[in-house]
Amino acid sequence: MRTLLFTGKGGVGKTTLSAATALSAAQKGHKTLVISTDAAHSLSDSFGLQLGNQPKQIESNLYGQEIDAVEQIETKWGKIKSYLSAFFASQGLDQIEAEEMSIFPGMEELFSLMEICSYHKTAEYEVIIVDCAPTGDTLRLLSAPEITGWYLKHIFPFQRTAAKAVRPVAHRIFPFPFPEDEIFEDMKNLTSQLAEMKEILADTQKTSIRLILNPEKMIVKEAQRSFTFFNLFGYTVDSIIVNRLIPKEVKDPHFKQWKSSQTAYQKMIKECFSPIPIFNSELFDQEISGKEMLNKLAWKVYGKKDPTQLFFSQNPINIEKSNGGFNLSIYLPFLEKKDLDVYQSGEELFIKAGHYKRNILLPRTLLNYKIQKAQFENQYLNIRFRSQVS
């Protein structure tokens, strides 16, 4: 199964490009599902028909879905949410505040994205295209499986053991409800699903991110930061789509400066993201809505190419054995040495890259190794591990 995630700064046209790519993929003979995880759904508007929480056939080989985040939360978080709400209420919050506090920021989009796990299990579709939330939310989503997994790995076993020991007398000691075993079981299942999602997203041969941008300074800078993040977490960007370029045939002097600016940013984008393939899409003279316009957009972007193909593959993270030790290499473009901090604690490697931080659980092979040195050169963070065993 091929999974494509479309993301970009809000307003760059990712929903329209997701829809156009899905339509083209279906017409190439792939059974395709396009889903929206963005809370502000607009896939329905792109296709000119109403989509809902269950996949709906749009045409032959093509299905669409706008996931109901509220239903996803009730299904995957319902019991935990009820417990947290009761806990917060016991601490003096009123019922409405307690309900609000029991749902964490970004949870709606996260649980929506987790739908790809169920589709991978059933293998009902050949291609899953995800219209993601704007990049800031997408970054939070894609780091969630690892961050949540870390907390549950370190805190969950202790809390469950403590709860079993204390629960019989808890009501006489603590002024709050103690979680039942089913709460811990739900947390365990959620952890398992998050791990599955991480495995799917990190499969560089089957899952790709397509980064959508417009040739404007703020948007290009945002795309650079996003690209660095994707590399830090081991996700692959297989293409960049530059959208809403003013067509060459537009000669109106009103657009002269604007076209000149776009040309300069196009050059910058090519230099920044090379060797990743870059596709261009011109600004249309009318709104892109409905199958006919989506087909025109897909043709502008992909031409005769199959839009589901893997356009570029690069493992952002590599581990190699060398001279009695190991080298860990991470491609981190658009950073400077001063933006990086690296340290090791037990079985974990902590990397701070600009505004982002990642905790990497080291493979068993490296458990008896310590960091010997870390260098940042040619956009790669290279970490050398040496054995502690003499």
Side-chain angles (χ1 to χ4, degrees), residues 117-118 121 191-201:
C117 294
S118 59
K121 286 177 182 176
T191 308
S192 176
Q193 291 177 50
L194 286 167
E196 277 182 51
M197 189 171 78
K198 167 68 177 175
E199 190 176 335
I200 291 167
L201 296 176

Side-chain angles (χ1 to χ4, degrees), residues 6-7 15 26 30 88 94-95 119 123 166-167 191 194 208 210 223 229 239 241 243 249 275 284 288 300 333 362:
F6 283 71
T7 190
T15 298
H30 307 293
F88 290 130
D94 67 37
Q95 194 58 44
Y119 290 126
V166 176
R167 190 179 294 118
T191 308
L194 286 167
S208 302
R210 296 204 172 155
F229 169 89
S239 58
I241 301 179
N243 195 25
E249 57 266 25
F284 281 54
I288 301 174
K300 286 277 188 181
L362 295 171

Side-chain angles (χ1 to χ4, degrees), residues 84-150:
L84 290 175
S85 180
F87 173 83
F88 290 130
S90 74
Q91 301 305 295
L93 294 181
D94 67 37
Q95 194 58 44
I96 294 176
E97 288 176 327
E99 285 282 337
E100 289 295 315
M101 289 286 287
S102 66
I103 301 175
F104 308 137
M107 189 168 281
E108 294 96 336
E109 292 92 345
L110 173 62
F111 287 160
S112 297
L113 188 62
M114 285 172 65
E115 276 288 271
I116 65 173
C117 294
S118 59
Y119 290 126
H120 271 255
K121 286 177 182 176
T122 61
E124 185 178 351
Y125 302 96
E126 297 172 69
V127 179
I128 303 287
I129 291 176
V130 185
D131 171 28
C132 293
T135 42
D137 294 323
T138 302
L139 301 184
R140 192 167 61 238
L141 293 185
L142 296 183
S143 62
E146 196 161 276
I147 294 171
T148 308
W150 187 89

Side-chain angles (χ1 to χ4, degrees), residues 75-80 156 160 181-193:
T75 301
K76 296 182 172 69
W77 191 250
K79 292 178 183 176
I80 303 170
F156 172 78
R160 186 166 195 170
D181 275 346
E182 64 179 4
I183 302 297
F184 289 106
E185 200 58 39
D186 277 6
M187 291 295 282
K188 182 179 178 181
N189 292 335
L190 180 58
T191 308
S192 176
Q193 291 177 50

Side-chain angles (χ1 to χ4, degrees), residues 320-380:
E320 294 180 352
K321 190 170 185 177
S322 173
N323 299 323
F326 286 87
N327 295 325
L328 172 64
S329 176
I330 306 177
Y331 180 52
L332 295 173
F334 313 122
L335 288 178
E336 295 181 24
K337 186 177 180 179
K338 63 180 178 63
D339 298 323
L340 286 163
D341 188 22
V342 180
Y343 65 96
Q344 182 182 0
S345 177
E347 63 178 3
E348 291 178 280
L349 178 68
F350 296 83
I351 300 174
K352 185 177 181 294
H355 298 295
Y356 306 117
K357 184 178 179 181
R358 182 181 182 190
N359 306 344
I360 300 177
L361 281 172
L362 295 171
R364 288 187 176 276
T365 312
L366 294 179
L367 292 187
N368 291 321
Y369 289 75
K370 285 288 185 184
I371 295 177
Q372 182 178 13
K373 64 177 181 179
Q375 292 180 311
F376 185 63
E377 50 191 0
N378 299 323
Q379 299 187 315
Y380 280 87

Side-chain angles (χ1 to χ4, degrees), residues 231-243:
N231 280 275
L232 177 63
F233 279 82
Y235 301 127
T236 293
V237 175
D238 86 329
S239 58
I240 309 288
I241 301 179
V242 183
N243 195 25

Side-chain angles (χ1 to χ4, degrees), residues 6-21:
F6 283 71
T7 190
K9 194 172 176 63
V12 296
K14 60 183 180 54
T15 298
T16 307
L17 282 159
S18 299
T21 302

